[in-house]
Amino acid sequence: MCNPEPRSSTLSVGQRRNACRSPARSVRRGAHRLYSVLSLRLHVPLPPVTSSRAGSELQSTPIPSLQSNHCCCPILPVKRYSRRYDRNRSRRYVQALVDVTVFPHDFAWGAATAAYQIEGGWNMDGRGPSVWDTFCHAKGGVFEDHTGDVACNSYQLWEEDLKCIQQLGLTHYRLSISWSRLLPDGTTNHVNPKGVAYYNKVIDDLIACGVTPMITLYHMDLPQALQDLGGWSSTEIADIFESYARFCFKTFGDRVKLWITLNEPYVCAKLGHEDGTFAPGIKDPGISVYLAGHNMLRAHAKAWHTYNTHFRPLQAGQVSLALNSDWAEPLHPGCPKDAAATERYKDFSLGWFACPVFCTGDYPESMRARIQSRSLDLGCKQGSRLPRFSKDEPSPLGTADFFALNYYTSRKVKDLNDGSKKSELSFVGDQGAEGVVDPSWPICGVHWLAVVPDGLRKLLKYIKETYTSLPIYITENGFSQMGPVQIEDADRCQFYQDTLQEVGKAISQDRVNVKGYFAWSLLDNFEWNHGYSVRFGLFHVDFSTPELKRIIYRSGREYAAVIRKQRSQTKPRSI
Ligand code: PNW
């Protein structure tokens, strides 16, 4: 059913005047509640797991109540992704069913990780603190106060990771650089030689093993010293990031040819600056989120232009930024309001970053118009809360050599133009739309992750039709596990089989130029505010022992089998 016409705002004039606070005054650390809500996805509390840091000691977890009053709309009960999903039991092995012949011979078969989630060694060998060190050590923001202090200890156990990469037969490995390991205060005033040596070794080892590195410069872990200067809310951060990027291109670019400047600016801006559930824990609804997003786009554009002008001629690499997006469809297909809300939902998530980079050099029209008019309605003195791109700076338009997509889930979208959000100063209020889970979609592990493999195919086609015909790398996609460790993870095997099948259809039937697929993640690791209670790895890491032993999951074995099969069947055409 369609929502009724929006009612007029219930705010008094005085309330409206106060509704827009100055960013400086109102930026404050959020209350880092345990079981905090990731409002990017569903507002569902995390299940009451009682565990130590050790994933393998976890007890079974009840399915979270999806009728929770944390949720701004009731959501129907959903299924977990389980064996029930495996409708055809004869479909046992991934390699038996994925049609590998549709993948090009040079397809990138990868897995991804991020520095803070795996490295540990948080204060070793001159590394400076990052916002995630601060967020974790402050306690209260992360599940059972877990931290990334040790994580998978990849800083010291890199060679174990390399064995995992080789066991899978990956052609590509996506990792991120810990900015504060390289530049402890975030600036090139002080370079940490041990940090440089660590990444040199990782890169050299990968190349020696025939694995192509893809390097992310920023994966949520801003140096704390830069946060102390205002972080992503400060204008200066774009030039500081450009210097860091320039340093990395200069130091590693002779060997690294695939670069991602920023990972998921949406998540960093929204969860880190609007909701306060991710570091730096800022809860400043409706204001900082746009400022942080804007400065990230400026930073990315400057770094791309630097590469393009000074490094590309010699190094011949490619640079992009990784954008996360759900696939979205109207909750009620025949309802024009839900249809319009779905377009806004897409514009406020993928379009927010993709439109400036791939389409127009500016934010989507719907964002500009909505934020402008709501800023006026809510009495914001500074005009629109959405910043403008300056003509005196390099444009973000055209600053990507490929499209890097992180896809995890899908949403049904309903209009949210009336009710409480109408007069609320918030990102969701501006968006005027809300995504919910379709009850037929199974949930895997973490509550926001509804498993919708065909959403990926639809999203790939949408990107091709809406944004670009440049090659697309799926830089993250994965399936999580909670509760008791299942090494024989049949559900995840099924998930990878279904997903790769959909990617294959996007390539062969929709003619989308998909160049690669990176499973998230190589290893079980520190899953941000869920700590170690959620596992995404192709390898299990036994966090209960100091050795942090890596044990391959069945899904890892099957992913390896797909890669082997594809590589043996598709050979480069002879000239
Ligand atoms: C991505 N959410 O982040 C990241 O790039 C990874 O670091 C992360 O481990 C992976 O997805 C799995 O979560 C997200 O709350 C973090 O909606 C949180 C959300 C989405 C993506």
Side-chain angles (χ1 to χ4, degrees):
M1 204 179 70
C2 274
N3 290 316
E5 284 302 310
R7 279 171 285 127
S8 60
S9 165
T10 51
L11 279 189
S12 70
V13 175
Q15 281 171 317
R16 286 185 201 197
R17 278 212 195 95
N18 290 333
C20 282
R21 309 166 308 277
S22 87
R25 246 189 339 162
S26 58
V27 172
R28 61 186 186 277
R29 288 193 57 100
H32 305 137
R33 287 176 296 122
L34 196 58
Y35 305 133
S36 54
V37 169
L38 301 180
S39 57
L40 168 66
R41 314 284 177 184
L42 288 175
H43 295 236
V44 176
L46 301 180
V49 185
T50 50
S51 78
S52 71
R53 177 169 174 265
S56 49
E57 293 165 21
L58 293 173
Q59 300 304 305
S60 83
T61 52
I63 299 173
S65 161
L66 292 165
Q67 301 289 356
S68 153
N69 57 9
H70 284 256
C71 193
C72 22
C73 72
I75 293 162
L76 299 166
V78 292
K79 286 181 275 178
R80 264 181 191 276
Y81 201 76
S82 70
R83 280 174 188 274
R84 276 174 294 154
Y85 176 83
D86 192 353
R87 289 158 302 222
N88 177 354
R89 285 300 176 89
S90 66
R91 303 193 310 169
R92 206 158 155 230
Y93 291 106
V94 176
Q95 65 266 37
L97 274 141
V98 176
D99 178 7
V100 293
T101 61
V102 300
F103 293 92
H105 74 86
D106 58 350
F107 193 76
W109 292 102
T113 57
Y116 188 76
Q117 295 180 271
I118 65 163
E119 281 183 8
W122 79 280
N123 59 0
M124 275 180 194
D125 292 346
R127 179 185 178 278
S130 80
V131 290
W132 270 96
D133 295 304
T134 310
F135 189 76
C136 293
H137 294 161
K139 300 195 186 298
V142 176
F143 177 81
E144 294 197 341
D145 292 334
H146 293 175
T147 74
D149 290 1
V150 179
C152 309
N153 196 15
S154 295
Y155 183 61
Q156 294 183 305
L157 299 178
W158 154 245
E159 272 145 14
E160 297 305 309
D161 295 357
L162 184 60
K163 283 185 203 154
C164 298
I165 291 166
Q166 289 180 289
Q167 201 177 337
L168 294 176
L170 300 182
T171 65
H172 289 61
Y173 178 56
R174 176 177 175 228
L175 69 143
S176 83
I177 288 178
S178 161
W179 187 343
S180 62
R181 192 181 293 292
L182 218 51
L183 310 177
D185 70 3
T187 74
T188 48
N189 296 339
H190 172 41
V191 176
N192 177 18
K194 294 212 167 139
V196 176
Y198 174 69
Y199 293 111
N200 268 333
K201 176 160 173 52
V202 169
I203 293 163
D204 289 345
D205 286 354
L206 285 169
I207 291 172
C209 294
V211 180
T212 303
M214 175 187 272
I215 291 199
T216 307
L217 295 177
Y218 176 75
H219 198 122
M220 322 260 189
D221 49 351
L222 194 74
Q224 182 59 42
L226 299 181
Q227 187 58 44
D228 296 342
L229 300 175
W232 289 112
S233 300
S234 76
T235 308
E236 294 74 31
I237 191 76
D239 285 325
I240 300 174
F241 179 80
E242 187 274 335
S243 303
Y244 162 56
R246 183 188 291 265
F247 177 81
C248 291
F249 298 148
K250 194 168 91 198
T251 311
F252 307 118
D254 54 336
R255 290 151 291 155
V256 176
K257 304 298 167 192
L258 289 171
W259 294 98
I260 301 287
T261 54
L262 308 173
N263 181 68
E264 301 193 353
Y266 177 100
V267 168
C268 183
K270 173 80 166 39
L271 276 64
H273 298 77
E274 168 98 2
D275 306 336
T277 54
F278 269 32
I282 292 167
K283 211 167 184 178
D284 180 36
I287 296 175
S288 291
V289 63
Y290 301 121
L291 206 52
H294 189 69
N295 288 327
M296 283 190 255
L297 274 166
R298 291 177 54 238
H300 160 78
K302 282 176 191 257
W304 185 91
H305 281 287
T306 292
Y307 190 85
N308 197 43
T309 310
H310 302 291
F311 295 94
R312 192 194 302 281
L314 281 174
Q315 297 183 350
Q318 298 190 317
V319 183
S320 189
L321 75 176
L323 303 182
N324 62 294
S325 182
D326 302 344
W327 172 244
E329 285 174 5
L331 182 62
H332 303 104
C335 170
K337 283 191 173 182
D338 284 357
T342 304
E343 291 314 304
R344 285 199 302 277
Y345 187 90
K346 289 173 174 167
D347 284 350
F348 272 74
S349 45
L350 187 59
W352 180 8
F353 300 97
C355 194
V357 171
F358 295 97
C359 280
T360 63
D362 203 348
Y363 296 112
E365 169 58 27
S366 69
M367 274 188 97
R368 285 186 287 138
R370 296 256 327 169
I371 299 169
Q372 165 88 31
S373 76
R374 281 176 45 87
S375 296
L376 289 175
D377 287 353
L378 296 170
C380 299
K381 292 202 184 76
Q382 76 270 39
S384 179
R385 289 161 286 125
L386 186 67
R388 294 219 181 115
F389 291 103
S390 160
K391 298 237 171 349
D392 303 330
E393 287 198 326
S395 166
L397 184 61
T399 58
D401 304 315
F402 56 91
F403 198 105
L405 172 70
N406 293 356
Y407 170 81
Y408 284 93
T409 190
S410 291
R411 288 290 180 265
K412 292 283 167 87
V413 179
K414 63 177 202 168
D415 182 68
L416 205 66
N417 264 328
D418 35 50
S420 61
K421 301 281 172 202
K422 183 166 165 50
S423 54
E424 183 183 285
L425 181 63
S426 71
F427 179 90
V428 173
D430 291 336
Q431 180 178 248
E434 185 187 31
V436 299
V437 167
D438 184 303
S440 72
W441 294 336
I443 296 287
C444 80
V446 64
H447 60 82
W448 53 263
L449 218 172
V451 185
V452 195
D454 68 347
L456 176 54
R457 176 183 174 187
K458 293 174 185 170
L459 184 58
L460 289 167
K461 188 161 180 274
Y462 172 80
I463 290 168
K464 177 184 143 184
E465 287 167 358
T466 313
Y467 292 114
T468 184
S469 55
L470 285 171
I472 303 177
Y473 285 92
I474 298 157
T475 37
E476 280 180 36
N477 175 247
F479 181 102
S480 71
Q481 200 184 81
M482 284 173 98
V485 175
Q486 288 175 271
I487 294 294
E488 291 299 309
D489 55 346
D491 297 350
R492 197 188 267 132
C493 293
Q494 184 71 59
F495 160 81
Y496 277 117
Q497 175 174 298
D498 293 347
T499 301
L500 292 174
Q501 202 79 293
E502 294 298 328
V503 175
K505 285 187 219 160
I507 295 171
S508 62
Q509 296 176 32
D510 306 334
R511 301 278 159 211
V512 184
N513 185 4
V514 185
K515 291 280 279 184
Y517 176 88
F518 291 73
W520 183 269
S521 174
L522 179 68
L523 306 170
D524 288 345
N525 59 46
F526 175 80
E527 177 51 30
W528 306 119
N529 55 352
H530 293 278
Y532 300 91
S533 69
V534 172
R535 298 178 299 277
F536 274 95
L538 292 167
F539 281 79
H540 176 56
V541 177
D542 185 354
F543 293 109
S544 64
T545 64
E547 297 78 35
L548 298 162
K549 197 166 158 26
R550 282 81 162 132
I551 303 154
I552 194 164
Y553 284 105
R554 177 172 154 190
S555 55
R557 297 199 304 271
E558 296 199 353
Y559 188 50
V562 172
I563 298 172
R564 264 199 313 277
K565 187 173 177 204
Q566 192 268 346
R567 298 195 83 189
S568 68
Q569 288 194 359
T570 54
K571 300 246 154 47
R573 284 203 200 107
S574 51
I575 306 160

Short mmCIF file of all heavy atoms in Angstrom, two decimals, residues 1-4 330-342 413-415:
data_model
loop_
_atom_site.label_atom_id
_atom_site.label_comp_id
_atom_site.label_asym_id
_atom_site.label_seq_id
_atom_site.Cartn_x
_atom_site.Cartn_y
_atom_site.Cartn_z
N MET A 1 0.84 -1.20 0.00
CA MET A 1 0.00 0.00 0.00
C MET A 1 0.88 1.25 0.00
O MET A 1 1.89 1.31 0.68
CB MET A 1 -0.87 -0.02 1.25
CG MET A 1 -2.11 0.78 1.11
SD MET A 1 -3.09 0.69 2.61
CE MET A 1 -2.13 1.62 3.76
N CYS A 2 0.45 2.23 -0.75
CA CYS A 2 1.22 3.48 -0.78
C CYS A 2 1.07 4.23 0.53
O CYS A 2 0.04 4.19 1.17
CB CYS A 2 0.72 4.38 -1.90
SG CYS A 2 1.48 4.00 -3.45
N ASN A 3 2.10 4.97 0.88
CA ASN A 3 1.99 5.83 2.05
C ASN A 3 1.10 7.03 1.72
O ASN A 3 1.06 7.48 0.59
CB ASN A 3 3.37 6.36 2.46
CG ASN A 3 4.22 5.26 3.03
OD1 ASN A 3 3.73 4.47 3.83
ND2 ASN A 3 5.46 5.19 2.59
N PRO A 4 0.40 7.57 2.73
CA PRO A 4 -0.41 8.76 2.47
C PRO A 4 0.48 9.96 2.15
O PRO A 4 1.68 9.92 2.36
CB PRO A 4 -1.16 8.96 3.78
CG PRO A 4 -0.38 8.22 4.81
CD PRO A 4 0.35 7.13 4.10
N PRO A 330 11.55 -1.27 -5.35
CA PRO A 330 10.43 -0.75 -4.55
C PRO A 330 9.78 -1.85 -3.72
O PRO A 330 9.64 -2.98 -4.20
CB PRO A 330 9.44 -0.23 -5.61
CG PRO A 330 10.22 -0.14 -6.88
CD PRO A 330 11.36 -1.09 -6.79
N LEU A 331 9.38 -1.50 -2.50
CA LEU A 331 8.69 -2.47 -1.65
C LEU A 331 7.38 -2.90 -2.29
O LEU A 331 7.05 -4.07 -2.34
CB LEU A 331 8.45 -1.85 -0.26
CG LEU A 331 7.77 -2.75 0.76
CD1 LEU A 331 8.61 -3.99 1.07
CD2 LEU A 331 7.50 -1.99 2.06
N HIS A 332 6.63 -1.90 -2.78
CA HIS A 332 5.39 -2.20 -3.49
C HIS A 332 5.58 -1.79 -4.94
O HIS A 332 5.56 -0.59 -5.26
CB HIS A 332 4.22 -1.42 -2.87
CG HIS A 332 4.06 -1.70 -1.41
ND1 HIS A 332 4.47 -0.82 -0.44
CD2 HIS A 332 3.56 -2.78 -0.77
CE1 HIS A 332 4.21 -1.35 0.74
NE2 HIS A 332 3.66 -2.54 0.57
N PRO A 333 5.78 -2.76 -5.83
CA PRO A 333 6.18 -2.45 -7.20
C PRO A 333 5.26 -1.47 -7.93
O PRO A 333 5.72 -0.65 -8.69
CB PRO A 333 6.18 -3.82 -7.88
CG PRO A 333 6.34 -4.80 -6.76
CD PRO A 333 5.71 -4.19 -5.55
N GLY A 334 3.96 -1.52 -7.64
CA GLY A 334 3.08 -0.62 -8.39
C GLY A 334 2.95 0.76 -7.76
O GLY A 334 2.20 1.60 -8.26
N CYS A 335 3.64 1.01 -6.70
CA CYS A 335 3.42 2.25 -5.94
C CYS A 335 4.40 3.33 -6.39
O CYS A 335 5.62 3.20 -6.20
CB CYS A 335 3.60 1.95 -4.46
SG CYS A 335 3.66 3.42 -3.45
N PRO A 336 3.92 4.42 -6.99
CA PRO A 336 4.83 5.45 -7.49
C PRO A 336 5.70 6.06 -6.41
O PRO A 336 6.86 6.40 -6.65
CB PRO A 336 3.89 6.51 -8.08
CG PRO A 336 2.57 5.85 -8.24
CD PRO A 336 2.50 4.72 -7.26
N LYS A 337 5.16 6.18 -5.20
CA LYS A 337 5.98 6.77 -4.11
C LYS A 337 7.13 5.87 -3.74
O LYS A 337 8.24 6.34 -3.47
CB LYS A 337 5.10 7.02 -2.89
CG LYS A 337 4.23 8.23 -3.04
CD LYS A 337 3.62 8.54 -1.72
CE LYS A 337 2.86 9.85 -1.81
NZ LYS A 337 2.29 10.21 -0.52
N ASP A 338 6.87 4.58 -3.70
CA ASP A 338 7.97 3.65 -3.40
C ASP A 338 8.97 3.63 -4.55
O ASP A 338 10.19 3.49 -4.33
CB ASP A 338 7.44 2.23 -3.15
CG ASP A 338 6.79 2.09 -1.77
OD1 ASP A 338 6.80 3.08 -1.00
OD2 ASP A 338 6.27 1.00 -1.46
N ALA A 339 8.47 3.76 -5.77
CA ALA A 339 9.39 3.78 -6.93
C ALA A 339 10.30 5.01 -6.84
O ALA A 339 11.52 4.91 -7.02
CB ALA A 339 8.59 3.80 -8.23
N ALA A 340 9.71 6.17 -6.51
CA ALA A 340 10.53 7.39 -6.40
C ALA A 340 11.49 7.26 -5.22
O ALA A 340 12.65 7.68 -5.30
CB ALA A 340 9.61 8.60 -6.22
N ALA A 341 11.00 6.65 -4.14
CA ALA A 341 11.86 6.47 -2.96
C ALA A 341 13.04 5.56 -3.30
O ALA A 341 14.16 5.79 -2.82
CB ALA A 341 11.06 5.86 -1.81
N THR A 342 12.80 4.58 -4.14
CA THR A 342 13.89 3.66 -4.53
C THR A 342 14.95 4.42 -5.30
O THR A 342 16.15 4.21 -5.10
CB THR A 342 13.32 2.50 -5.37
OG1 THR A 342 12.29 1.87 -4.61
CG2 THR A 342 14.39 1.49 -5.71
N VAL A 413 12.53 -1.02 -0.89
CA VAL A 413 12.53 0.36 -0.40
C VAL A 413 11.11 0.92 -0.33
O VAL A 413 10.30 0.75 -1.25
CB VAL A 413 13.39 1.27 -1.32
CG1 VAL A 413 13.38 2.70 -0.82
CG2 VAL A 413 14.82 0.74 -1.36
N LYS A 414 10.84 1.58 0.80
CA LYS A 414 9.55 2.24 0.95
C LYS A 414 9.73 3.74 1.19
O LYS A 414 10.76 4.17 1.73
CB LYS A 414 8.74 1.61 2.07
CG LYS A 414 9.36 1.72 3.42
CD LYS A 414 8.40 1.10 4.43
CE LYS A 414 8.70 1.64 5.81
NZ LYS A 414 7.71 1.33 6.78
N ASP A 415 8.73 4.45 0.77
CA ASP A 415 8.74 5.90 0.92
C ASP A 415 8.69 6.27 2.40
O ASP A 415 8.02 5.60 3.19
CB ASP A 415 7.52 6.48 0.19
CG ASP A 415 7.49 7.98 0.26
OD1 ASP A 415 8.36 8.60 -0.36
OD2 ASP A 415 6.60 8.52 0.93
#
